[in-house]
């Protein structure tokens, strides 16, 4: 195989959710395409590389020229609620659902002994200042419902004991449309523990 | 969502086998990565765009500076056999298997009334000249075993009646390890029709 093509396939195969076969298909598609798709892809990549960086306040990826991101600049979002999430894709998910209208704070990971992620690796420095500056009354943890998620949550709460913010977390239980046959014991146990009067 | 990020996701989502969700994952991975993966990807894409073009002889994508591709320049491959395939991925598949050591000819598509692909759209112009120049004695059709594949094959044979080349095609039948339970009637019928004495 031509080394230039091989190198390009290797770069695509390193992307998440793209295997070797898909990378070959993608590269062939791009190189045989006559509508300039490869130009558009290179342009969009270069533009994002040059101009996108994390918001200095919350960590959401945004235009470098804007300073803070669209959420941190939006005064209507300053409702005293701050939602802590792992990464930007969680923000997109929450925004799509429309359930939250406050501000976000992106950690950029979860504490993990196995993966060697320590508190210094997380975007925590600005948190204390944000609580004061933005008059945060409630911090909602929307982290993965895993051991790492819960550990991270407990750690963050322990660093904020000097504030009188209310801490909340998302409810655990049977998902909408969830069939009990297909639900794991851990979720079932949480759903039973959190049962509500009807 | 930031418009620059949205544009980049859209470009990735247009690639074959990459959906919207995967495109988001890819873009997030690239923009959050700190090992320069986005630089390497842009470099490889730019290099391929500037320097890769189809071999003027056979249609295989190759370095522009090389003139003809590695297969057409390799004298040991001039064994009088020419394998006609649909696209470059078929060449890769055949090369990986090691079953063929002659030269290739890439059509770049299949004749199709539905998709509006006519003989002018296929890489057929150089074929007649190649048969003479490269002293081709056998043309092996390794095209998809579909109506389009067979139509294309018949069309090409009909344009080469003035040569005394032998035309062959790949055998049809039950794949290695194939369970009869899972094989379609068409393949079974071909396998029965082509049964061999043991």
């Amino acid at each position: 195989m031509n080394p230039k093509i091989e190198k390009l396939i290797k770069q695509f195969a390193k992307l998440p959710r793209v295997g070797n076969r898909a990378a070959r298909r993608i590269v062939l598609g791009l190189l045989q395409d006559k509508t300039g798709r490869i130009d558009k892809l290179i342009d969009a990549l270069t533009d994002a590389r040059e101009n996108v960086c994390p918001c200095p306040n919350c960590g959401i990826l945004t235009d470098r020229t804007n300073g803070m991101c669209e959420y941190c600049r939006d005064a209507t979002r300053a409702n005293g609620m701050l939602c802590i999430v792992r990464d930007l894709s969680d923000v997109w998910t929450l925004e799509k659902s429309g359930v939250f209208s406050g501000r976000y704070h992106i950690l950029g990971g979860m504490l993990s002994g196995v993966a060697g992620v320590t508190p210094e690796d997380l975007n925590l420095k600005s948190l204390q200042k944000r609580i004061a500056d933005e008059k945060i009354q409630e911090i909602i943890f929307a982290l993965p419902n895993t051991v790492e998620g819960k550990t991270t949550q407990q750690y963050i709460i322990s660093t904020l004991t000097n504030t009188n913010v209310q801490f909340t977390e998302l409810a655990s239980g049977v998902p909408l449309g969830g069939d009990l046959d297909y639900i794991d014991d851990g979720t079932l146990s949480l759903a039973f523990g959190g049962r509500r009067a009807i």
Side-chain angles (χ1 to χ4, degrees), chain A:
Chain A
M1 195 188 297
N2 179 283
K4 285 186 206 301
I5 299 180
E6 208 168 352
K7 207 178 84 187
L8 186 54
I9 291 174
K10 235 180 240 167
Q11 289 305 324
F12 271 104
K14 279 183 194 161
L15 300 177
R17 303 206 195 176
V18 179
N20 223 332
R21 284 183 85 88
R24 285 171 167 224
R25 255 301 124 218
I26 288 170
V27 168
L28 266 184
L30 280 173
L31 292 176
Q32 290 173 347
D33 170 80
K34 288 179 180 71
T35 64
R37 217 189 282 171
I38 191 167
D39 302 323
K40 285 181 203 146
L41 181 60
I42 292 175
D43 290 348
L45 277 166
T46 313
D47 192 19
R49 178 181 60 177
E50 310 303 337
N51 298 313
V52 171
C53 69
C55 168
N57 198 43
C58 71
I60 286 179
L61 290 171
T62 185
D63 268 50
R64 195 182 298 279
T65 46
N66 290 344
M68 289 208 282
C69 73
E70 62 208 275
Y71 302 105
C72 289
R73 280 180 292 136
D74 184 349
T76 64
R77 283 191 166 259
N79 62 359
M81 288 165 87
L82 187 68
C83 183
I84 296 190
V85 295
R86 185 183 48 182
D87 67 22
L88 184 50
S89 66
D90 301 324
V91 173
W92 292 342
T93 307
L94 287 166
E95 282 300 301
K96 216 176 103 193
S97 73
V99 290
F100 181 69
S101 57
R103 293 229 170 110
Y104 292 99
H105 194 81
I106 292 188
L107 295 179
M110 296 284 96
L111 292 182
S112 162
V114 181
V117 181
T118 65
E120 282 70 47
D121 299 320
L122 304 183
N123 174 29
L124 290 172
K125 282 182 212 82
S126 58
L127 199 52
Q128 190 102 35
K129 192 168 174 297
R130 287 194 73 183
I131 293 171
D133 289 358
E134 299 177 42
K135 299 187 184 58
I136 301 300
Q137 279 133 35
E138 179 180 355
I139 289 186
I140 303 169
F141 288 94
L143 299 178
N145 203 345
T146 60
V147 174
E148 282 86 3
K150 293 301 166 202
T151 310
T152 309
Q153 181 175 317
Q154 279 313 317
Y155 172 80
I156 294 173
I157 292 174
S158 76
T159 66
L160 298 173
T161 42
N162 57 339
T163 61
N164 52 5
V165 170
Q166 190 190 356
F167 298 107
T168 57
E169 64 179 1
L170 299 190
S172 297
V174 181
L176 201 65
D179 186 325
L180 290 199
D181 260 4
Y182 295 99
I183 283 169
D184 64 292
D185 294 347
T187 303
L188 260 187
S189 154
L190 287 170
F192 259 89
R195 67 192 179 278
R196 294 176 302 185
I198 304 162

